[in-house]
């Protein structure tokens, strides 16, 4: 069996701290100037671990944290019915499961993108992080829409996530 050298060097722990600037610039850049931001992302070739730690792990936590606060402390009502609240334990369990599902979903989508690129003969250079980067940055609107969960009105949350 032949060892394959990764197209990127291993990342030092200190470079993860640079992730905050990447996080903010890409997250908001995708909304304010998407064409330039996608061109910038295409040139980066970030290490998949760094991308996951500095971007996905942080942004994917927005929705579960907001949902926990909303369902355990504010509650919600449908129509004129009584206020419904989850216990803190139930809200925590659902939030943790949601967070894990989001992390696995982004990774699976990135893996599927890489597989399709290899299978269908993508013309560009094949770097394993390209699929994860595309999946991660494409999920940015979903991650940021998690803030809407602080306002616990089901029809509003559905409209925000479908928009």
């Amino acid at each position: 069996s032949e060892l394959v050298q990764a197209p990127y060097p291993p990342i030092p722990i200190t470079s993860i701290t640079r992730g905050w600037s990447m996080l903010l610039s890409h997250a908001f850049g995708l909304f304010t100037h998407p064409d330039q931001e996608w061109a910038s992302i295409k040139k980066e070739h970030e290490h998949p671990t760094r991308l996951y730690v500095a971007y996905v792990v942080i942004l994917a936590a927005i929705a579960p944290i907001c949902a926990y606060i909303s369902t355990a402390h504010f509650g919600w009502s449908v129509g004129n019915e009584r206020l419904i609240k989850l216990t803190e334990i139930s809200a925590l369990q659902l939030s943790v499961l949601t967070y894990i599902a989001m992390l696995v979903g982004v990774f699976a989508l990135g893996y599927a993108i890489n597989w399709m690129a290899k299978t269908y003969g993508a013309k560009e250079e094949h770097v394993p992080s390209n699929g994860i980067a595309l999946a991660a940055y494409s999920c940015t609107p979903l991650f940021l829409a998690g803030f809407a969960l602080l306002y616990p009105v089901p029809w509003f949350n559905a409209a925000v996530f479908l928009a």
Side-chain angles (χ1 to χ4, degrees), residues 59-118:
L59 286 181
I62 293 171
I65 290 170
C66 292
Y68 170 79
I69 292 168
S70 157
T71 57
H73 299 287
F74 301 149
W76 73 92
S77 62
V78 179
N80 291 328
E81 295 184 26
R82 65 181 175 89
L83 187 68
I84 301 168
K85 284 186 181 180
L86 295 180
T87 64
E88 289 189 17
I89 297 297
S90 294
L92 181 63
Q93 289 171 339
L94 289 173
S95 295
V96 168
L97 290 173
T98 300
Y99 183 62
I100 291 169
M102 291 176 84
L103 294 178
V104 169
V106 171
F107 181 79
L109 181 60
Y111 182 82
I113 291 168
N114 282 332
W115 175 82
M116 286 187 279
K118 280 192 261 183

Side-chain angles (χ1 to χ4, degrees), residues 8 17 21 32 35 38 48 57 68 73 75 80 91 93 102-103 115 128 130 160-161:
Y8 38 76
T17 58
S21 63
T32 58
D35 292 336
W38 279 113
V57 168
Y68 170 79
H73 299 287
N80 291 328
Q93 289 171 339
M102 291 176 84
L103 294 178
W115 175 82
N130 283 353
V160 168
F161 278 93

